[in-house]
């Protein structure tokens, strides 16, 4: 295992920048989707519809499924940093991390009250795999991650359906909850929205996460993020540069056949069960390969510039306050699009939605800069850290806390 250098500032800055860009992409995608109110606006001028269509195609091509994957990868990396720092202090962080995941589940409930697309509960559950995985060898980590990434449940369902052609599973249980949640978003007041999200919104979000394959992909990405931390591949060195130089062409090469498989094969599948699960497993692999392309290109550019280009570094504060900004963008977004707020879900097209998303990002970036000028963390990050270490007489190492949280 490669030893991680004591000086970690550059690595952590590049991770915060990468996390910031992933979160920006998530903001843009959520705005295009009007925070799960999937509906086009009234007819617009042809040029504006065309501009919106092209913008949507570009953002979905670059970021759909990839931004979330990057965010998840870095979650596993953050666990490695926390575990490593605790070990340096002679502490066992595993029980604290389990408590930390329970706290994250609490944050998820706050978030899910407003937005029925929460991922934090999934993170809290899947994050528990990192506790036993912290003692696994690198080889075991990679083997388990690869098995999970391949979506074994999907292929098992496909195999069963091929043997039993009468078996029908459309993998769409979430639909019945989505319809209710979307109607309330279109027509409900604030209290109706909150009340509906307590039940239908939660079921919608979590059934979709499971049926979309994220129950397997998420822990796989967590494990890979931890592995990258162990290997110090987010630190500038000859080894890490060589690693990302290998990842870039191989991931590009993988994207090509996977794109063909996900685009052209489904039209030739007549079995509805096989189609349902094939349309999860193969696109998931494509998104992982595409994400690897984006991350490796980002890291190589960062290393080439020495400590990141200005276009990479400007977003660091946004990434450092990722929990606060993730929940904040959802609250702002639903207030803009839902009926209880500005009710814009059927009044703005794709291009205007991207402009709104850019405005949300800009506002949160400015607030992040202002907050971090006088504080080490965002408000929710500060509370999460304090609650993580509740009951401990001595505080965690201040230097490690400042660098890694």
């Amino acid at each position: 295992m490669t030893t991680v250098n004591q000086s970690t500032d550059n690595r952590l800055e590049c991770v915060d920048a990468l996390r910031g860009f992933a979160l920006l992409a998530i903001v843009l995608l959520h705005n295009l989707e009007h925070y799960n109110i999937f509906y086009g606006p009234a007819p617009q001028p042809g040029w504006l519809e065309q501009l919106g269509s092209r913008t949507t195609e570009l953002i979905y091509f670059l970021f759909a499924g990839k931004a979330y994957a990057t965010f998840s990868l870095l979650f596993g990396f953050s666990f490695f940093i926390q575990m490593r720092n605790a070990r340096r202090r002679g502490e066992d962080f595993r029980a604290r991390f389990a408590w930390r995941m329970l706290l994250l589940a609490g944050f998820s409930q706050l978030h899910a009250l407003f937005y029925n697309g929460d991922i934090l509960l999934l993170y809290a559950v899947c994050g528990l795999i990192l506790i036993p995985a912290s003692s696994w060898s690198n080889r075991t980590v990679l083997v388990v991650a690869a098995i999970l990434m391949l979506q074994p449940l999907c292929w098992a369902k496909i195999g069963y359906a091929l043997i039993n052609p009468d078996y029908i599973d459309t993998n769409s249980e979430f639909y019945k909850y989505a319809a209710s949640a979307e109607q309330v978003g279109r027509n409900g007041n604030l209290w109706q929205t909150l009340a509906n999200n307590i039940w239908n919104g939660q079921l919608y979000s979590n059934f979709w996460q499971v049926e979309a394959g994220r129950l397997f992909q998420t822990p796989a990405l967590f494990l890979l993020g931890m592995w990258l931390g162990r290997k110090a591949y987010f630190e500038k060195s000859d080894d890490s540069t060589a690693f990302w130089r290998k990842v870039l062409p191989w991931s590009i090469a993988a994207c090509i056949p996977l794109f063909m498989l996900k685009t052209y094969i489904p039209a030739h599948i007549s079995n509805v069960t096989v189609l349902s699960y094939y349309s999860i497993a193969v696109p998931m692999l494509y998104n992982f390969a595409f994400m690897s392309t984006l991350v490796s290109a980002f890291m190589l550019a960062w290393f080439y510039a020495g400590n990141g280009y200005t276009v990479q570094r400007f977003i660091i504060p946004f990434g450092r306050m990722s929990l606060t900004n993730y929940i904040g963008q959802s609250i702002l977004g639903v207030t803009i699009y839902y009926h209880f707020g500005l009710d814009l879900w059927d009044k703005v097209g794709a291009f205007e939605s991207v402009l709104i998303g850019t405005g949300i990002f800009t506002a949160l970036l400015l607030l992040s800069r202002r907050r971090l000028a006088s504080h080490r963390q965002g408000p929710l990050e500060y509370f999460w850290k304090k609650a993580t270490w509740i009951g401990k007489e001595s505080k965690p190492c201040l230097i490690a806390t400042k660098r890694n949280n």
Side-chain angles (χ1 to χ4, degrees):
M1 182 187 304
T2 303
T3 302
V4 180
N5 296 336
Q6 293 291 330
S7 177
T8 60
D9 288 338
N10 290 349
R11 173 179 57 80
L12 289 175
E13 285 189 335
C14 86
V15 168
D16 283 331
L18 187 55
R19 186 185 290 114
F21 277 108
L23 185 53
L24 167 59
I26 289 171
V27 172
L28 296 179
L29 288 165
H30 285 177
N31 276 268
L32 279 173
E33 296 166 351
H34 294 174
Y35 290 80
N36 285 350
I37 302 181
F38 298 95
Y39 185 83
Q44 297 181 304
W47 67 269
L48 188 55
E49 286 189 359
Q50 187 76 359
L51 181 59
S53 176
R54 294 290 177 264
T55 302
T56 299
E57 290 174 2
L58 178 63
I59 290 176
Y60 269 84
F61 174 74
L62 289 175
F63 303 128
K66 298 89 173 177
Y68 157 82
T70 305
F71 209 61
S72 301
L73 187 79
L74 299 180
F75 184 93
F77 173 79
S78 296
F79 166 80
F80 163 77
I81 293 295
Q82 293 161 348
M83 181 67 74
R84 185 201 65 185
N85 288 341
R87 285 174 174 167
R88 286 179 176 175
R89 298 191 299 269
E91 299 173 346
D92 188 343
F93 186 66
R94 288 175 294 182
R96 289 282 174 181
F97 185 75
W99 167 240
R100 187 172 173 83
M101 292 301 94
L102 184 60
L103 293 170
L104 185 61
F107 283 120
S108 79
Q109 299 311 294
L110 168 66
H111 183 229
L113 278 175
F114 294 91
Y115 176 46
N116 50 50
D118 171 71
I119 63 167
L120 298 180
L121 183 60
L122 180 72
Y123 274 31
V125 173
C126 292
L128 296 175
I129 195 176
L130 294 169
I131 297 175
S134 64
S135 60
W136 296 349
S137 68
N138 283 342
R139 179 183 177 86
T140 301
V141 169
L142 290 179
V143 168
V144 174
I147 292 171
L148 293 172
M149 188 66 69
L150 289 171
Q151 298 290 331
L153 178 61
C154 288
W155 295 111
K157 288 277 191 177
I158 289 171
Y160 185 80
L162 291 173
I163 297 171
N164 301 276
D166 294 333
Y167 174 68
I168 301 296
D169 182 354
T170 60
N171 195 36
S172 56
E173 184 69 16
F174 75 93
Y175 272 130
K176 61 185 179 184
Y177 305 108
S180 173
E182 187 168 339
Q183 284 301 316
V184 172
R186 293 183 183 188
N187 304 303
N189 59 35
L190 175 60
W191 301 115
Q192 290 170 329
T193 301
L194 298 179
N196 187 268
N197 280 340
I198 290 174
W199 184 248
N200 280 312
Q202 289 271 24
L203 291 173
Y204 169 24
S205 175
N206 290 294
F207 266 108
W208 183 86
Q209 303 272 10
V210 172
E211 293 174 342
R214 288 187 174 182
L215 188 62
F216 287 89
Q217 186 197 50
T218 303
L221 291 165
F222 288 176
L223 292 172
L224 289 174
M226 182 181 71
W227 180 81
L228 289 170
R230 288 181 178 185
K231 302 294 286 185
Y233 285 145
F234 287 115
E235 289 192 66
K236 186 178 181 181
S237 68
D238 291 342
D239 285 347
S240 56
T241 302
F243 171 76
W244 293 116
R245 282 178 176 168
K246 290 178 182 177
V247 171
L248 183 59
W250 279 105
S251 57
I252 293 173
C255 282
I256 297 171
L258 287 170
F259 178 82
M260 304 288 284
L261 289 170
K262 88 176 186 71
T263 304
Y264 299 110
I265 296 300
H268 302 283
I269 300 176
S270 58
N271 185 303
V272 66
T273 304
V274 173
L275 178 61
S276 296
Y277 286 96
Y278 182 91
S279 299
I280 295 298
V282 174
M284 279 285 189
L285 292 173
Y286 168 74
N287 287 338
F288 173 69
F290 201 124
M291 178 216 69
S292 300
T293 301
L294 295 176
V295 171
S296 56
F298 182 95
M299 293 308 306
L300 289 172
W302 186 280
F303 292 157
Y304 182 81
N307 194 23
Y309 288 100
T310 301
V311 71
Q312 293 175 302
R313 296 185 56 82
F314 89 99
I315 206 170
I316 288 173
F318 191 65
R320 282 183 61 187
M321 285 178 44
S322 57
L323 179 62
T324 298
N325 288 329
Y326 175 66
I327 293 178
Q329 60 88 26
S330 292
I331 295 174
L332 288 172
V334 298
T335 302
I336 290 170
Y337 293 106
Y338 281 29
H339 182 72
F340 75 80
L342 299 181
D343 197 27
L344 296 184
W345 63 271
D346 62 345
K347 300 176 179 64
V348 294
F351 186 70
E352 303 100 300
S353 297
V354 170
L355 293 180
I356 292 171
T358 304
I360 291 174
F361 159 72
T362 302
L364 291 174
L365 175 62
L366 293 174
L367 289 172
S368 297
R369 289 184 180 278
R370 182 179 180 87
R371 167 78 183 187
L372 294 176
S374 56
H375 297 79
R376 291 174 177 167
Q377 299 167 300
L380 294 187
E381 288 79 9
Y382 175 81
F383 177 81
W384 197 16
K385 185 196 76 172
K386 283 292 186 181
T388 296
W389 295 98
I390 193 170
K392 183 174 175 58
E393 293 182 3
S394 58
K395 295 182 179 180
C397 173
L398 291 179
I399 295 177
T401 299
K402 181 176 180 180
R403 286 178 175 172
N404 302 309
N405 293 329

